[in-house]
Each structure stands twice: as structure tokens, then as C-alpha cells.
Amino acid sequence: MSWIKSHKDLEYHPKLLKLEALCTMDRNGTVGVLHRFWYWTMAYAEDGDLSKWGLETLSKAIGIDANNLVEAGWIDQEPYLRVHDWFDYIGDYLRAKYRRNPEKYEAIKNKCTGTVPVQNRASTRIDKIREDKIREDKDLTDTSTKTFKVTDLMALWNEKAHLNLPRVTMLNKTREAHAKARLSSFPDKSFWENTITKINESSFLTGLSSTWKADFDWILNPTNLTKILEGNYDNKRKFN
């Protein structure tokens, strides 16, 4: 049976707290997602090498934006895309699993604790060049994605949001982390323009029909954003 080492201090680890803020989850959910990430890695990338899958596939597999794992420090991008300190978590299990195949164990250990194997470095450099070229071409044709940043989103909110809604003036680390996480999923300016329009048209969200009203931080919560997009706060239609 497969198993992985999990320390009791994990729930207070700074990297877990950062992941919790980026994903806007509670502590239980964040711990659970992190373990799902490790379980998936055990099944599909035993050596901790994620480069053969990529962040997009990983995101779909574990149900969160894998870029948050990179930003929180649970995934390394150099010298290649891999799980941070993977051997510290999986080493004991691999030693037991490959006790009759020590060469396999040593090969995985060396890859986890070292850099890209010599025979793979050339192909890795080629892949990196190809990725940079694709990114460069995309930037040349899609200027909105390239230039729309957290500060742009704040400015858009201040300009377009209903006059009854509070404006934003400061950018702290928590707000920036939440905004970056949402922008990684929805990078287009037009998406946020349409979202703000839906908010402006809601009597509930603008505080015109209640004492509560939405603010910038509230819409950055993924659950709240989904409800806005699905029309949960749209004004009720009156039928004759």
C-alpha cells in the first residue's frame, strides 16, 4: 500500500499558510489539496518530475491552479519543474518499495536530490527555448494578457464599479495573492469588465436593496466569483 510522510507541524507551515491565502481555502481544505497533490505525484510522477505533465494537467488533476503551488514554494521550477524536497516525503516509502531493486531506488533518489540528468539537459534546454518562443509569440499577439496586472484590475474596479461600492487604495500581500490567483485563471480585461457590469446591475451586491454590499476583496473569492457569474445575485425578473 502506498503511503507518504506527513508531519504534524504541516498545518502551521508558512508555505501551507501561503497556499491557503492563494487558494482562499480554509485550513482543512488546503491540507487536503496538498495531500491530493502528493498522492497524484506518487501515482504519476514517482520521481517528482512534473515537467512531463506540466502545470495545466496538474491543475486539472488536483482541482486547484497549480501555479499557486509554485508561488507558495511546493513546486520548484528550476532546474526543472519538480516537487520541492520530494525525497524528504517519499524517500522512506521508495526505500521499502525498491528494497529488491536498489539500482532503481538510487536512480530516483539521485534525480530527486540532484539536477537534471546529463543525458536530459540538452532536450530540457530545447524545451525551454521552445516555451520561451511560444510565450514571446503569444505576448506579441495578445497584449491584453501581457499588460493586465493586479494594479490594472484595481484601477478598473475604481473606475467601473458602482458609485455605492468602496474603492481600493492599498495593495497588501494577501490582496495581491488573491488577485494574482484569479488573474491566472481569468487574465482578460474584458472578463473583468463584464463581471463588474454584472455586479453593478445587482441591487443586492451594490447595497441598494440591503445594508451589505460587495467590495473588491469579496469578489476575489473564487466561490463568490462563481456565484456572480452564474447569476445568483441577479435582480429577480418580474413576469406579467
Side-chain angles (χ1 to χ4, degrees):
M1 179 174 63
S2 301
W3 56 274
I4 191 167
K5 186 185 296 183
S6 181
H7 297 281
K8 67 181 181 62
D9 295 334
L10 176 64
E11 64 174 319
Y12 302 112
H13 196 288
K15 290 196 298 185
L16 185 104
L17 300 181
K18 185 172 183 178
L19 181 63
E20 180 180 326
L22 289 168
C23 295
T24 61
M25 287 183 173
D26 61 18
R27 189 68 47 81
N28 292 336
T30 308
V31 171
V33 163
L34 186 59
H35 279 77
R36 282 189 61 196
F37 163 52
W38 286 333
Y39 298 155
W40 183 89
T41 303
M42 291 177 69
Y44 300 104
E46 189 178 58
D47 57 4
D49 184 355
L50 302 175
S51 58
K52 54 193 171 186
W53 296 105
L55 294 177
E56 183 176 353
T57 297
L58 179 59
S59 298
K60 293 177 180 178
I62 63 177
I64 66 166
D65 185 351
N67 287 286
N68 291 337
L69 291 168
V70 175
E71 189 167 346
W74 294 106
I75 292 177
D76 296 330
Q77 291 185 297
E78 297 295 340
Y80 60 96
L81 195 68
R82 64 182 184 181
V83 183
H84 180 74
D85 288 343
W86 179 234
F87 198 75
D88 292 346
Y89 300 99
I90 199 71
D92 291 341
Y93 165 71
L94 292 177
R95 185 181 296 108
K97 179 180 179 180
Y98 293 113
R99 62 184 181 279
R100 296 182 180 178
N101 189 355
E103 293 82 7
K104 177 72 172 179
Y105 167 76
E106 287 297 329
I108 297 177
K109 177 183 178 181
N110 290 338
K111 185 167 186 180
C112 289
T113 58
T115 59
V116 183
V118 173
Q119 63 269 26
N120 292 338
R121 287 178 184 168
S123 61
T124 300
R125 286 196 296 270
I126 294 173
D127 290 341
K128 183 66 168 58
I129 293 171
R130 185 181 297 114
E131 289 176 2
D132 290 343
K133 183 65 170 62
I134 292 173
R135 188 177 299 111
E136 180 182 349
D137 291 343
K138 182 178 180 181
D139 287 345
L140 290 174
T141 58
D142 187 1
T143 56
S144 62
T145 300
K146 178 182 178 182
T147 59
F148 198 61
K149 304 180 180 67
V150 173
T151 52
D152 297 319
L153 179 57
M154 293 172 60
L156 182 66
W157 172 266
N158 287 340
E159 177 187 356
K160 300 290 187 180
H162 193 282
L163 293 177
N164 201 39
L165 299 179
R167 267 45 186 171
V168 289
T169 58
M170 298 179 62
L171 181 62
N172 56 40
K173 290 184 178 180
T174 300
R175 176 175 285 171
E176 183 177 19
H178 291 175
K180 283 184 176 179
R182 300 293 79 75
L183 285 171
S184 67
S185 299
F186 307 104
D188 296 332
K189 180 181 179 180
S190 60
F191 169 86
W192 293 101
E193 289 176 332
N194 293 334
T195 299
I196 294 174
T197 297
K198 283 183 69 67
I199 294 170
N200 291 343
E201 293 173 349
S202 169
S203 297
F204 176 74
L205 294 180
T206 54
L208 299 179
S209 64
S210 65
T211 57
W212 178 88
K213 54 190 173 184
D215 59 25
F216 184 74
D217 294 313
W218 185 85
I219 72 166
L220 295 179
N221 181 289
T223 300
N224 298 338
L225 183 58
T226 299
K227 290 181 178 180
I228 294 170
L229 299 176
E230 292 179 348
N232 289 37
Y233 304 108
D234 290 356
N235 296 334
K236 294 182 179 179
R237 296 176 61 187
K238 295 182 180 180
F239 297 93
N240 296 325

